[in-house]
Amino acid sequence: MTYGEAKKMLSAAGQEHLLKYYDELSEEKQQNLLEQIEKLDLSFLQLIGDKKEKTAKGRLEPLGAVTIGEIEEKKDSYEKTGLKAVREGKVGAVLLAGGQGTRLGLDKPKGMLNVGVTKELYLFEQLINNLKQVVEKAGAWIPLFIMTSEKNNADTTEFFAAHDYFGYDREFVFFFIQEMAPSVSYEGKIYMEEKDKIAASPNGNGGWFSSMAKAGLLDKGKELGVEWLNVFAVDNVLQKMADPVFVGATIDSGCVCGAKVVAKADPNERVGVLCKEDGKPSIVEYYEMTEEIIHSKDENGKLLYNYGVILNYLFEVDTLVKIMNQNMPVHIVEKKIPYLDENARLVKPEEPNGYKFETLILDMIHMVDNCLSFEVEREKEFAPIKNRTGVDSLDSARELMKKNHIEL
Ligand code: UTP
């Protein structure tokens, strides 16, 4: 893109200020800036006007779940199906590690967090240990795709290399980088981070499959025979990946997707609930539900909307390919965005000062025709590290790890 083209594109969108320092820059930096401008997706900006998000949902119905008791009864047969699929190379794992972990406030990738007490035990390491249990049981390596962002890719890949992939076969580990979206002020002006750098942040975890495709990894998956992808978050230390029982139950159910869920701790727990919306599976946030729906019960007194998701989904690859190009809802999130002030000084705000744009993996569930809701025990499979202290923190995760006899 030339300077003239950039100027035209930006002035049409009221974003000419991005070229304010252009003349001061070296030729290399000028080129660098033009490349960023060329890649900018300005369509996001139109969304700011409709920020008062459409919270109106369609017609909600409960989806229920295959319960822990029901799973226990059929465990052997599910496990057999699941292990066979893993052994045949049909199951891949996708680790979402492109987030910035702003609540935790680390200056490095969340997976580099040491969760050990008397020894070093990194979050990435614990996840690999969990996955290796299935590898050992199946006697086959599971392809592991790891999504990073431009912000943390170098740190992440170097960390894995420095720790020899925590004993995982590096031939089966594939990194890919997600896309970025511009960060804007409340007035919709894109912030600058440096004179030649536009402020941008990872575009949410919803684009993982298309980013994987852009990185050429669908071909890799095909070559390896992968038919199912198990996607999970980086911050749940008890996360079970490629869990053969879950894989087997989803395959046997004939569904194109499965989601691990936990029974809500109380009706008002702030989790996304897996239910049906207009006849299709959907994850509905607590703030999108009426009090009546939140508290509705069946004839046995059990909550009808009782199952919260834990960001562990299994998707059939053919289905993902079909929905890949559909538009996803874009969520506008308030955020603290470091920016250059009018004197070109970098300001790191203490309070949110603008928006970032994200698509979310949970919206993919509404794009598929059916989804097996698969209940797991919270205390055994859900120990997310989101906050510095209190609920869902390193302390609470350590407690749960101890309960699960993980040596810390
Ligand atoms: P969260 O929604 O908890 O976001 O991510 P986060 O960025 O880790 O943390 P906060 O909200 O800033 O404190 C859930 C999962 O999705 C991944 C995260 O790495 C985590 O595994 N994620 C999130 C991405 O891979 N990319 C993103 O752009 C956002």
Side-chain angles (χ1 to χ4, degrees):
M1 172 175 260
T2 62
Y3 174 80
E5 286 164 344
K7 192 161 176 175
K8 196 166 159 209
M9 166 184 153
L10 293 175
S11 39
Q15 306 287 342
E16 257 180 290
H17 60 283
L18 300 183
L19 290 167
K20 183 171 168 191
Y21 304 106
Y22 187 83
D23 292 338
E24 293 176 32
L25 302 174
S26 67
E27 217 167 288
E28 194 190 338
K29 289 192 167 176
Q30 286 181 336
Q31 207 44 46
N32 188 8
L33 180 61
L34 291 178
E35 274 168 27
Q36 291 166 60
I37 294 171
E38 186 169 14
K39 278 200 240 151
L40 269 183
D41 184 349
L42 295 174
S43 63
F44 287 129
L45 300 175
Q46 290 161 10
L47 300 167
I48 295 174
D50 346 304
K51 202 201 154 291
K52 299 280 160 261
E53 269 181 59
K54 325 146 206 81
T55 44
K57 284 274 152 187
R59 185 174 44 85
L60 300 185
E61 289 169 87
L63 176 62
V66 24
T67 61
I68 294 169
E70 289 162 348
I71 294 165
E72 198 49 47
E73 275 171 30
K74 294 196 180 161
K75 189 169 168 225
D76 291 346
S77 117
Y78 287 155
E79 189 169 40
K80 205 169 149 212
T81 308
L83 281 176
K84 181 168 179 285
V86 172
R87 218 168 274 134
E88 289 170 352
K90 291 184 178 164
V91 184
V94 182
L95 166 56
L96 301 176
Q100 289 178 292
T102 48
R103 280 168 285 176
L104 207 54
L106 296 178
D107 56 359
K108 50 187 190 222
K110 224 188 216 185
M112 285 170 64
L113 183 71
N114 180 12
V115 296
V117 179
T118 62
K119 60 170 190 173
E120 281 175 359
L121 179 65
Y122 300 101
L123 199 36
F124 280 138
E125 182 176 12
Q126 182 55 35
L127 293 176
I128 295 283
N129 289 346
N130 296 351
L131 188 58
K132 276 200 297 198
Q133 288 182 6
V134 184
V135 169
E136 271 155 32
K137 207 163 194 177
W141 289 103
I142 296 163
L144 172 62
F145 302 92
I146 303 178
M147 181 164 89
T148 62
S149 77
E150 278 173 20
K151 301 238 181 214
N152 68 14
N153 183 62
D155 282 344
T156 306
T157 50
E158 280 162 21
F159 191 69
F160 269 87
H163 289 87
D164 203 16
Y165 293 74
F166 302 105
Y168 212 78
D169 185 339
R170 64 189 303 166
E171 300 287 314
F172 286 87
V173 181
F174 309 93
F175 292 94
F176 64 102
I177 303 178
Q178 69 175 100
E179 273 99 89
M180 305 286 276
S183 303
V184 303
S185 69
Y186 289 128
E187 293 73 39
K189 296 281 180 205
I190 299 174
Y191 280 122
M192 297 290 286
E193 211 170 79
E194 288 170 40
K195 288 183 176 177
D196 64 332
K197 196 158 174 231
I198 292 170
S201 55
N203 64 349
N205 56 24
W208 66 274
F209 190 68
S210 56
S211 299
M212 225 178 124
K214 279 189 197 135
L217 289 175
L218 295 197
D219 295 337
K220 187 74 211 172
K222 213 173 196 175
E223 194 187 297
L224 294 167
V226 174
E227 292 178 10
W228 293 90
L229 286 172
N230 182 203
V231 197
F232 55 94
V234 69
D235 47 27
N236 174 8
V237 264
L238 294 181
Q239 190 87 265
K240 281 196 191 174
M241 291 80 65
D243 170 3
V245 181
F246 177 44
V247 172
T250 307
I251 293 177
D252 283 357
S253 73
C255 287
V256 294
C257 165
K260 284 198 169 185
V261 295
V262 292
K264 284 209 259 180
D266 76 79
N268 291 310
E269 189 180 356
R270 298 169 151 230
V271 287
V273 167
L274 181 56
C275 56
K276 273 191 186 171
E277 181 186 350
D278 295 333
K280 286 179 89 179
S282 184
I283 295 166
V284 180
E285 295 290 350
Y286 64 96
Y287 54 81
E288 295 172 315
M289 293 185 153
T290 60
E291 280 296 307
E292 191 191 337
I293 287 196
I294 288 176
H295 293 279
S296 54
K297 295 189 173 137
D298 68 12
E299 60 282 1
N300 302 316
K302 195 174 152 192
L303 286 178
L304 282 170
Y305 295 85
N306 191 28
Y307 295 105
V309 286
I310 60 168
L311 217 172
N312 187 324
Y313 306 107
L314 184 70
F315 289 100
E316 186 193 49
V317 175
D318 284 348
T319 301
L320 289 169
V321 171
K322 278 186 219 147
I323 63 171
M324 180 164 62
N325 295 320
Q326 285 179 23
N327 283 337
M328 294 185 75
V330 177
H331 298 255
I332 304 177
V333 192
E334 285 195 44
K335 203 195 151 201
K336 294 179 224 164
I337 305 156
Y339 67 99
L340 284 194
D341 67 10
E342 53 279 17
N343 303 313
R345 274 191 307 248
L346 183 68
V347 180
K348 289 189 175 170
E350 297 284 323
E351 296 301 323
N353 60 332
Y355 303 121
K356 68 174 179 178
F357 304 95
E358 291 190 331
T359 59
L360 301 178
I361 185 168
L362 58 84
D363 288 316
M364 287 175 100
I365 299 298
H366 195 49
M367 296 161 77
V368 302
D369 290 335
N370 46 55
C371 178
L372 181 76
S373 178
F374 181 94
E375 188 190 6
V376 299
E377 262 179 74
R378 181 187 285 259
E379 296 240 312
K380 289 193 180 156
E381 298 204 24
F382 193 42
I385 303 176
K386 299 281 184 195
N387 305 308
R388 281 177 194 228
T389 52
V391 181
D392 296 344
S393 64
L394 179 55
D395 291 341
S396 62
R398 279 183 174 146
E399 278 309 306
L400 285 165
M401 289 172 88
K402 277 188 218 150
K403 278 193 186 161
N404 283 282
H405 314 293
I406 297 170
E407 212 185 296
L408 292 176

